[in-house]
Amino acid sequence: MNSAPNAPSSPKTAPPSVIPVMLPDVSLRARNSFGFDVLAEQAYSITDAEHIGAVMEAIKAANLPWRVLGGGSNVVLPPTLSGVTLLMDIAGQAITQQDERGAVVSVGAGVNWHDFVIWTLDHSLPGLENLALIPGTVGAAPIQNIGAYGVEVGEYIQSIEAYDCHSKTLVNLLASECAFTYRNSIFKAHPNRYIITRVHFYLPAAWSPRLRYADLAAAFVNRHVPTAEEVMVAVCKIRNRKLPDPKLIGNAGSFFQNPIVEKAQYLALLKQFPELVSYPEGNEQEGKRKLAAGWMIDHCGFKGLRAGAVGVYQHQALVLVNHGGGSADSVLALAKTIQDKVQDTFGVTLAIEPIRY
Ligand code: EPU
């Protein structure tokens, strides 16, 4: 992989003398936003990218399965995570370059996403405000190319520092090499190749609010052009209204992706379901449509349904919740019921959004 020509270098740290301590039997109940009871057989807290090589060598020598966990807000974890779980805890954020055109901000993969968005606004660096209040960490954001209210994080990423498990070195991938598309990237497509350690954002100085989404635009009708802070506050209000706070009720945000269908299928569906909510997708000639999965699930009557300890959130049918005592099996069983019904009703396959282990 190329190195970004103008990529900022990571802050220098002293070379590690020892591999971090292996932690046995770590409860991840507070580290998965569903709040499932999960035990990691072995865990390492990764606070420095330079430690990863030694940890990976140890994992390879013991021939153990492994995965990385950020904030645990987009995962469905089983009761026992066998092998090794790397807890991504690399901290720190700094403006590493700035001129009249914009700023490069370099952020550790373990930094909380929303705290980082607030930090950018506190430093007069607008751009990420539409993505406020998305749970999770900075290092997890590029994996599924998080998006909300017409903005995707990939648009603001300059490059990504990652440990490459093939070359066993830290590499710097340009955004153009990360294949960002709707809720997808090379990191999601090849889960065991790269371990994201640091994200370099580029925030242009030229800014105007992005209010294409009706919900957000509605917050500012007949008003002055809002500031980035005002947009951030409005986004937080909408999210708080529609989405459950994982601290109060376990969830992983949208449980399904919004399916993208061909024009002909969309037109046939629209005839049958004139109320169907959808959005244009990709270039206009192709005429592909992104269908609102939440609307379809709601139409099938699932909103607010309870299935034992788990259920469908009462204010947003795209979100599955853990009322307490749920597990990966119970939420996946509910997901299957929903997928089957949507398939029967609309002939559309819903893909699960969180990563399953
Ligand atoms: N709708 C219903 N019933 C429902 C849910 C939605 O009729 O129960 C309708 C809404 O009225 C609206 C449409 O479906 O007309 C779309 O709903 P909404 O605006 O809430 O957005 P979404 O498509 O459900 C997506 C993202 C969210 C993101 C919002 C806002 C995906 C899978 N989800 O949700 O992202 O916050 O748009 O941009 O793309 C996440 O990924 O975890 C997430 C929360």
Side-chain angles (χ1 to χ4, degrees), residues 41 323 327 334 343:
E41 283 183 348
H323 293 287
S327 64
L334 173 60
Q343 185 78 54

CSV table of all heavy atoms in Angstrom, one decimal, residues 41 323 327 334 343:
chain,number,residue,atom,x,y,z
A,41,GLU,N,-12.3,-14.7,26.8
A,41,GLU,CA,-11.3,-15.7,27.4
A,41,GLU,C,-10.0,-15.0,27.7
A,41,GLU,O,-9.4,-15.2,28.8
A,41,GLU,CB,-11.1,-16.9,26.5
A,41,GLU,CG,-12.3,-17.8,26.5
A,41,GLU,CD,-12.0,-19.1,25.7
A,41,GLU,OE1,-11.1,-19.1,24.9
A,41,GLU,OE2,-12.8,-20.0,25.8
A,323,HIS,N,-34.1,-5.7,26.4
A,323,HIS,CA,-34.7,-5.2,27.6
A,323,HIS,C,-34.1,-5.6,28.8
A,323,HIS,O,-34.4,-5.1,29.9
A,323,HIS,CB,-36.2,-5.6,27.6
A,323,HIS,CG,-37.0,-5.0,26.5
A,323,HIS,ND1,-37.4,-3.7,26.4
A,323,HIS,CD2,-37.5,-5.5,25.3
A,323,HIS,CE1,-38.1,-3.4,25.3
A,323,HIS,NE2,-38.1,-4.5,24.6
A,327,SER,N,-29.7,-12.2,24.6
A,327,SER,CA,-28.4,-12.8,24.2
A,327,SER,C,-28.3,-12.7,22.7
A,327,SER,O,-29.3,-12.4,22.0
A,327,SER,CB,-28.3,-14.2,24.6
A,327,SER,OG,-29.3,-14.9,23.9
A,334,LEU,N,-34.9,-13.2,16.6
A,334,LEU,CA,-35.9,-12.1,16.3
A,334,LEU,C,-35.6,-11.5,14.9
A,334,LEU,O,-36.5,-11.3,14.1
A,334,LEU,CB,-35.9,-11.0,17.3
A,334,LEU,CG,-36.7,-9.8,17.1
A,334,LEU,CD1,-38.2,-10.2,16.9
A,334,LEU,CD2,-36.6,-8.8,18.2
A,343,GLN,N,-39.1,-10.4,3.6
A,343,GLN,CA,-38.8,-11.1,2.3
A,343,GLN,C,-40.2,-11.5,1.7
A,343,GLN,O,-40.4,-11.3,0.5
A,343,GLN,CB,-38.0,-12.3,2.6
A,343,GLN,CG,-37.5,-13.1,1.4
A,343,GLN,CD,-36.4,-12.4,0.6
A,343,GLN,OE1,-35.4,-12.1,1.2
A,343,GLN,NE2,-36.6,-12.2,-0.7
